[in-house]
Amino acid sequence: MRKKAISFVICAAMAAGCLPGTQVYAQDGQEVVKLRMMAYNAESARATYLQYLADKLPGIEIEFEFVSTDNFDNVLNSQLQAGEGPDIIEVGGQTKLLARAGYLMDLSDQEFIGKYSDSGLQAYTVGEGVYAEPLQSWFEGIFYNKKMFEENGISVPKTWDEFIEIHKTLEEKGIKAQTMGAQSYEPMMKQSIGLVNNLFYSDSANMAFDEKFNEGEGKLEEAWLPAVQEWYKIIEAGCLNAEMLGLSYDQALDEFATEKAAMWECGPWAVETILEKNPDIDLGMFPIPGTDGEKPGWLVGGPGSAWAINAKSEHMEEALQVLEVTSTEEAQQALAKDNAGSSFVKGVEIDLGDIYADCEEAFKEGNVYAPWTAVWTNGNAVTESYGKSLQEVLSGSKDVQQALADADMTNADLLEALE
Amino acid sequence: MNTKKRDRVYFWMIFPAFAGFTVLYLLPTAMSFLYSLTNWSVYNAQLRFVGLRNFQKIFTDVKTVAALVHSIKYAILITICQNVLAVLLAVLLNRKSRAANFVKSVTFLPAVLSIMVVGYLFQYIMTSADGGLLNRIIEWFGGKPVNWLGDADIALYSVLITQVWQWTGWSMVIYIANLKSIDASLYEAADMDGAGSVQKFFRITLPLLYPAISFNILMSLIGGMKMFDAVFVMTKGGPGYATETIMTTVIREGFSSGRNAYACAFSVVFFIVVFLFSQTLTYVFNRWEEAIRA
């Protein structure tokens, strides 16, 4: 009898565990809807914005899930394939693929989409449909320690050769010039594309190349080679070395923030962590210089990430409310507070701050571009392949032409998979 | 209870586990075989039959072949290193003393840690940054720092060392359990016949460790072939493709790049390689067992 009673209690407890949880209500008695938001920018880079959403939309509770870029597509794709996934997704280079596969809601009929400039929407447009709402521009340049530059009589470089020369000057004085977390495929990939921006995309006639690349007609090995060979000079000069392949992003950030290195290539999302580690650091950023000292250099970037809505979301109405609030000037300013970047909402001006004063000319000229997020269909996979091959270039087992050929081959394989 | 009724009871007892095994393993495996013959992609809704094209691509893609070679090399090396060290430790520590018990506990301790935690820990210990613990120790002894995780020639071995460190204690415990079951009178008889320690080890201990050796070797080999997490945390398959394994490639191609059918084909290759390895080992161990019994 006693055993039966215990069994009954255990079964009852298990059954109770299976029952739906208690509903949560906002202060005004309205039921709170939980929205899953999956992002590859950390929660700290959205803190002010998320607080703003919480204040503006008390009936919506956002469960923010950060998944690092290395793993983001793995996690997202497996969830979407299972017919699940987050309600709101932070998308970038994979938007067109996801939209074509029917995973994203078409936002083109939404009123708030009209507030955005065409340049912001271009990367998220497939045919007549708009599948994501741009958050802000992203850009990546070279962070530098102003104090270390001043103490060593160094000014911001105007050409790629000057940039390499700075390395030599600092290294001669026993200072590590540039740190790089080359354990990740990203930094070399982005830095070399900075040179491609300067030497290839700066000619507007070459902007059509990316569409040809999407069709499998354009080849990086032919179009980008001179620019990437120019970038390779930095490896030949020993400014980037194989030791950097053993450094992670966090370790490189540590070295720069603790003033063990004078320069580090990254973007505004890292500023908060740098300042947390060293509040006294005097930080600046300059664009990646090209070969012509009269021109202001280029940043790698463009319409950065964007919010898309899962086509199978059970809370589309609430997800649309979030996107609508995001399109307001207040939300755009809140976004910029934790992660500097200009807004694509027409008429919204964002003050990026002193850190980016040396990039002002590049911004004015519109010298911000990242082909894989702006136009390429298979952007993420191709840049990963290219970046991994550049790691082999740094370790001396490949040359830049082979690295570009690898990227072309990856693009061809992926286009074949889409046929 | 008659036999039929008893069989029915047994059937219903194993049914939940069998149903789970079918739904979660047999069915997905069969589906992978089928999908490997198609163009399935997460980004492509139109499914069509492409024959053996994915398999052909696997063996013509140097990166994928390299991943296969890395996995096999890693699996063989970890099996040898882990088991040789574990047998030696088990024989040395198979005694009743507080010191031996303490060393056993310390050796087993890493096995209770998550692979991810161990990976992150060693990423900092082995880093080429100034604060890298391992290089600091080497420099303190007057040596030159080593790029443990960034040198394509040694990165795979660096990951291997961490996994040997983590799992040797686990194998050792299994060997010790087996050692306890060996009849002490065999050693006494050997002593009376004048056998030395080495002879006793090779003539008595090693043959009678057969059950633990076969289990440990099979587990290490399959575990080595499946290596993913430590590589993912410590090197992300790099530098370049130097530490890519079958699993990291399957994940990258299948989930990141959306070439699901290609990843399925590679999983089929993985299945065949593991099947061949395990069948060969089982055959060798059976022959060994027969020889011992004879």
Side-chain angles (χ1 to χ4, degrees):
Chain A
M1 187 61 199
R2 198 175 155 194
K3 280 183 185 171
K4 279 186 182 173
I6 292 170
S7 306
F8 177 77
V9 170
I10 291 171
C11 289
M14 286 167 73
C18 296
L19 292 172
T22 315
Q23 294 291 347
V24 179
Y25 294 91
Q27 280 181 340
D28 59 1
Q30 186 191 352
E31 190 183 314
V32 172
V33 174
K34 281 190 180 180
L35 283 187
R36 277 181 64 206
M37 185 181 261
M38 190 190 280
Y40 52 80
N41 273 297
E43 196 166 356
S44 58
R46 304 280 185 226
T48 312
Y49 163 73
L50 290 172
Q51 186 54 53
Y52 179 76
L53 288 183
D55 294 343
K56 279 282 169 189
L57 301 166
I60 295 173
E61 184 185 332
I62 290 178
E63 284 182 352
F64 192 92
E65 291 173 24
F66 166 70
V67 182
S68 70
T69 44
D70 294 327
N71 213 19
F72 189 81
D73 286 338
N74 296 345
V75 177
L76 177 66
N77 289 351
S78 47
Q79 291 188 8
L80 292 176
Q81 273 184 301
E84 294 174 0
D87 300 290
I88 297 176
I89 310 164
E90 183 171 18
V91 288
Q94 68 280 71
T95 313
K96 290 182 177 176
L97 284 168
L98 293 174
R100 285 197 178 115
Y103 293 120
L104 306 180
M105 181 186 177
D106 182 1
L107 304 170
S108 50
D109 293 340
Q110 301 301 319
E111 210 172 294
F112 58 80
I113 287 295
K115 293 184 182 179
Y116 288 89
S117 63
D118 290 344
S119 61
L121 297 175
Q122 183 203 3
Y124 313 112
T125 303
V126 178
E128 297 294 309
V130 176
Y131 291 88
E133 174 191 53
L135 286 168
Q136 50 191 149
S137 69
W138 72 278
F139 57 90
E140 200 166 312
I142 311 287
F143 278 125
Y144 72 103
N145 186 317
K146 285 182 178 173
K147 193 179 83 186
M148 286 168 94
F149 267 43
E150 276 166 21
E151 282 172 357
N152 293 285
I154 294 169
S155 52
V156 168
K158 297 288 176 200
T159 65
W160 189 244
D161 286 338
E162 277 180 37
F163 182 51
I164 292 172
E165 208 53 46
I166 285 175
H167 286 77
K168 290 178 185 166
T169 310
L170 287 167
E171 300 283 350
E172 276 166 13
K173 293 181 179 179
I175 298 165
K176 186 170 185 174
Q178 184 183 184
T179 183
M180 180 181 273
Q183 197 179 70
S184 161
Y185 72 86
E186 288 190 41
M188 274 192 292
M189 175 272 287
K190 287 176 178 166
Q191 196 176 80
S192 64
I193 290 179
L195 254 290
V196 176
N197 284 346
N198 273 287
L199 304 183
F200 181 72
Y201 290 110
S202 56
D203 181 351
S204 57
N206 289 330
M207 294 306 271
F209 167 81
D210 290 330
E211 286 298 346
K212 285 185 189 163
F213 185 69
N214 277 344
E215 301 299 320
E217 291 165 11
K219 297 283 178 206
L220 299 178
E221 191 185 352
E222 292 157 14
W224 283 19
L225 186 61
V228 182
Q229 279 172 333
E230 179 68 23
W231 168 78
Y232 182 70
K233 282 182 182 173
I234 199 166
I235 293 181
E236 281 180 319
C239 311
L240 300 183
N241 56 57
E243 257 186 35
M244 293 171 174
L245 294 168
L247 278 186
S248 67
Y249 169 91
D250 290 331
Q251 289 160 349
L253 187 151
D254 272 347
E255 283 198 340
F256 178 71
T258 54
E259 306 193 46
K260 285 178 185 158
M263 293 181 284
W264 179 49
E265 191 203 307
C266 200
W269 51 89
V271 170
E272 196 182 329
T273 317
I274 294 171
L275 294 175
E276 264 173 28
K277 286 179 188 280
N278 183 1
D280 300 326
I281 193 169
D282 194 0
L283 201 59
M285 180 191 270
F286 58 82
I288 296 166
T291 49
D292 185 347
E294 299 299 312
K295 292 180 179 172
W298 280 68
L299 294 143
V300 180
S305 59
W307 289 143
I309 297 177
N310 185 345
K312 290 191 176 166
S313 168
E314 289 174 3
H315 304 293
M316 280 190 183
E317 203 180 305
E318 289 80 9
L320 283 168
Q321 282 180 41
V322 170
L323 267 60
E324 191 173 0
V325 170
T326 304
S327 69
T328 60
E329 178 162 3
E330 293 79 11
Q332 294 292 310
Q333 296 291 354
L335 277 166
K337 191 153 189 195
D338 297 310
N339 187 16
S342 58
S343 169
F344 290 102
V345 174
K346 293 170 204 164
V348 174
E349 294 290 330
I350 304 279
D351 178 16
L352 296 177
D354 290 342
I355 293 174
Y356 309 100
D358 295 308
C359 298
E360 210 170 301
E361 282 300 308
F363 282 126
K364 273 185 192 163
E365 295 285 320
N367 289 0
V368 185
Y369 191 57
W372 76 96
T373 59
V375 187
W376 290 1
T377 308
N378 300 308
N380 290 359
V382 173
T383 47
E384 182 177 2
S385 165
Y386 172 55
K388 280 176 90 69
S389 294
L390 286 182
Q391 289 179 324
E392 293 179 307
V393 171
L394 188 57
S395 64
S397 59
K398 266 187 185 163
D399 60 35
V400 289
Q401 188 165 3
Q402 287 168 316
L404 290 166
D406 283 347
D408 283 329
M409 197 182 292
T410 303
N411 191 42
D413 285 339
L414 293 165
L415 289 174
E416 190 186 307
L418 291 175
E419 277 173 7
Chain B
M1 200 186 293
N2 64 37
T3 315
K4 272 191 178 175
K5 195 175 175 188
R6 194 180 59 196
D7 286 350
R8 252 203 317 274
V9 171
Y10 287 165
F11 172 78
W12 286 112
M13 284 170 82
I14 64 161
F15 180 77
F18 182 70
F21 183 69
T22 306
V23 173
L24 299 173
Y25 181 75
L26 292 181
L27 206 61
T29 306
M31 284 168 73
S32 285
F33 274 74
L34 290 175
Y35 279 127
S36 69
L37 304 172
T38 69
N39 69 334
W40 178 39
S41 163
V42 63
Y43 301 126
N44 190 354
Q46 290 173 331
L47 198 70
R48 65 187 162 81
F49 181 75
V50 296
L52 295 173
R53 198 168 70 188
N54 290 316
F55 292 93
Q56 196 186 352
K57 277 194 166 290
I58 285 172
F59 292 104
T60 51
D61 186 341
V62 285
K63 292 175 285 190
T64 312
V65 172
L68 186 64
V69 172
H70 294 153
S71 286
I72 293 173
K73 192 198 280 183
Y74 178 90
I76 292 172
L77 284 176
I78 198 165
T79 303
I80 294 170
C81 298
Q82 189 177 313
N83 285 284
V84 168
L85 284 172
V87 168
L88 292 176
L89 280 168
V91 173
L92 284 172
L93 299 174
N94 185 30
R95 61 193 68 190
K96 284 179 185 167
S97 78
R98 281 188 181 175
N101 284 340
F102 175 74
V103 178
K104 267 187 261 181
S105 305
V106 169
T107 314
F108 183 74
L109 210 58
V112 303
L113 298 172
S114 138
I115 298 181
M116 304 294 263
V117 171
V118 170
Y120 280 117
L121 192 71
F122 273 97
Q123 199 191 40
Y124 272 87
I125 290 172
M126 291 178 156
T127 179
S128 58
D130 292 345
L133 181 66
L134 201 53
N135 279 340
R136 283 202 166 195
I137 293 170
I138 290 170
E139 283 177 305
W140 193 76
F141 281 107
K144 283 185 176 174
V146 178
N147 193 0
W148 297 100
L149 301 172
D151 184 334
D153 294 329
I154 60 170
L156 187 68
Y157 304 106
S158 302
V159 177
L160 183 100
I161 290 167
T162 67
Q163 293 309 289
V164 170
W165 173 81
Q166 185 169 17
W167 297 112
T168 297
W170 186 79
S171 299
M172 177 199 72
V173 169
I174 295 169
Y175 284 122
I176 288 176
N178 194 163
L179 283 173
K180 302 269 185 215
S181 69
I182 298 175
D183 193 342
S185 62
L186 293 171
Y187 292 104
E188 285 165 17
D191 285 336
M192 287 167 73
D193 289 341
S197 304
V198 177
Q199 275 181 311
K200 280 192 283 184
F201 176 76
F202 283 106
R203 301 277 177 161
I204 301 171
T205 310
L206 205 57
L208 293 177
L209 271 181
Y210 153 76
I213 289 175
S214 57
F215 174 78
N216 272 335
I217 286 185
L218 209 58
M219 287 298 109
S220 311
L221 204 65
I222 294 173
M225 288 295 293
K226 288 196 302 188
M227 171 45 64
F228 171 75
D229 17 25
V231 166
F232 183 77
V233 173
M234 293 177 72
T235 63
K236 298 195 167 50
Y241 296 88
T243 55
E244 288 285 355
T245 64
I246 294 176
M247 281 299 139
T248 57
T249 306
V250 165
I251 297 288
R252 194 185 66 244
E253 294 292 349
F255 295 107
S256 303
S257 302
R259 294 170 77 195
N260 304 66
Y262 183 82
C264 284
F266 203 24
S267 301
V268 171
V269 172
F270 169 69
F271 178 87
I272 292 167
V273 172
V274 171
F275 181 77
L276 288 177
F277 264 133
S278 53
Q279 286 302 304
T280 310
L281 276 177
T282 310
Y283 174 77
V284 170
F285 286 134
N286 285 343
R287 295 300 298 265
W288 188 27
E289 189 183 10
E290 283 167 20
I292 292 167
R293 288 186 193 283

